Amino acid sequence: MQAKLAAGVLYTSAYVARHAARVRGALCAVLRPISLSQLIRDHGFNETLFYDCVEALKTARTLPGRVQGKSSYTPAVHAHAQVAGVRTFFEQNGIIEYASLRAMAGVRDPKSYLEQTYPGGIPLSTCYMKREMLGALEVELDEACANGSAIDVRASFSHEMSDDDVAAMLDASASIKAALAGGRAVRLDGGALLASAALLTASGEGGAIDELVTTSAEREFQKGQGKPDAAAAKAAGGGGKAAKGGGKKGGGKEEEDDEDEGGGK
């Protein structure tokens, strides 16, 4: 009799074959990551035979997914869908955050992955971007230099750029570095603002530059803190007026008291 001994129990070959077929079917039907222990409970698998079957499938390279030890299983179809989603997002937006890639596709080293998958892009501190997006920024700076204006680097992108991102992006552009080195443009507000030399010359008192810096600072504040509550501001203003009025009323009463005291004297 052909049989298999596992964990002190003897199983017939026919039973082992049927059990293995059920395990393969269950693994093929899974569409998203799942706990192996949960899979065993849901289908009533024999735990010993289950892991033996998984190891046999891995050895034969016919396992339709990836197993993390004895903890979880990620089907290949899920991984392919995640990669396709990342590709679509990057092609449509031209930029993707490393943190998003870790969450979407479980990539441990997103920077290296993106450099290998999409060569020619620009690896920044928190994200990876297409070089075409840098080309658009170069065009904006050229127009600003020609028109005597300025551009806000962060405002040109939907992704919230860090200071390190901005520095790396400007350093990756030969055109922008040449404009800065040649004196056609100047970096302001920590490098987030690029102003033309003509604008600096024209704004003798620096009013236009101050306005740009203030606008940039307000935008960053609103991103981090949100806009102030108008109702709260109004209430605060009303409270100030009331306090002011109360002071006047209190002062009048004090004068009356003084007059009464003087009259008594």
Side-chain angles (χ1 to χ4, degrees):
M1 181 181 69
Q2 295 183 349
K4 177 178 182 178
L5 182 64
V9 180
L10 191 64
Y11 301 96
T12 65
S13 298
Y15 177 83
V16 172
R18 288 195 303 271
H19 190 275
R22 290 178 56 219
V23 171
R24 284 195 301 271
L27 293 174
C28 290
V30 173
L31 299 179
R32 63 186 61 187
I34 188 173
S35 166
L36 291 180
S37 59
Q38 181 67 40
L39 193 64
I40 292 172
R41 288 194 300 270
D42 290 345
H43 294 273
F45 290 134
N46 180 289
E47 185 174 355
T48 302
L49 295 181
F50 174 84
Y51 288 115
D52 287 348
C53 179
V54 169
E55 287 301 321
L57 291 173
K58 289 172 61 177
T59 302
R61 299 186 179 225
T62 57
L63 184 67
R66 182 165 49 93
V67 173
Q68 292 78 36
K70 290 186 176 182
S71 60
S72 63
Y73 168 72
T74 302
V77 63
H78 175 78
H80 294 159
Q82 294 293 80
V83 171
V86 169
R87 180 170 57 251
T88 300
F89 182 89
F90 183 69
E91 290 175 352
Q92 290 179 350
N93 297 276
I95 189 169
I96 186 169
E97 297 179 65
Y98 300 140
S100 298
L101 185 57
R102 290 190 190 96
M104 291 172 63
V107 178
R108 294 183 178 180
D109 189 355
K111 184 177 180 180
S112 299
Y113 171 82
L114 290 168
E115 287 178 326
Q116 295 174 5
T117 308
Y118 307 103
I122 302 175
L124 303 180
S125 177
T126 64
C127 59
Y128 190 82
M129 64 181 290
K130 288 183 177 180
R131 186 162 291 275
E132 291 84 346
M133 299 190 71
L134 182 59
L137 183 64
E138 293 171 346
V139 172
E140 288 184 30
L141 180 59
D142 286 339
E143 293 178 352
C145 291
N147 300 330
S149 58
I151 61 172
D152 186 343
V153 176
R154 290 191 176 96
S156 302
F157 301 93
S158 58
H159 169 68
E160 187 173 346
M161 295 285 186
S162 67
D163 291 342
D164 291 338
D165 288 333
V166 172
M169 182 169 47
L170 299 183
D171 189 60
S173 171
S175 173
I176 294 178
K177 287 196 296 184
L180 294 172
R184 294 176 58 232
V186 177
R187 293 178 63 179
L188 302 171
D189 191 27
L193 289 176
L194 298 179
S196 65
L199 177 62
L200 292 175
T201 303
S203 59
E205 298 299 326
I209 299 301
D210 291 341
E211 183 179 352
L212 285 170
V213 173
T214 301
T215 302
S216 176
E218 288 177 349
R219 183 184 298 110
E220 291 304 312
F221 174 79
Q222 290 175 2
K223 283 182 179 179
Q225 304 293 332
K227 296 182 179 180
D229 188 357
K234 185 176 181 181
K241 292 180 180 179
K244 186 176 181 182
K248 290 181 178 179
K249 184 176 180 181
K253 184 177 181 181
E254 185 177 354
E255 291 175 0
E256 293 176 359
D257 292 341
D258 291 340
E259 291 177 359
D260 292 341
E261 185 177 353
K265 289 181 180 180

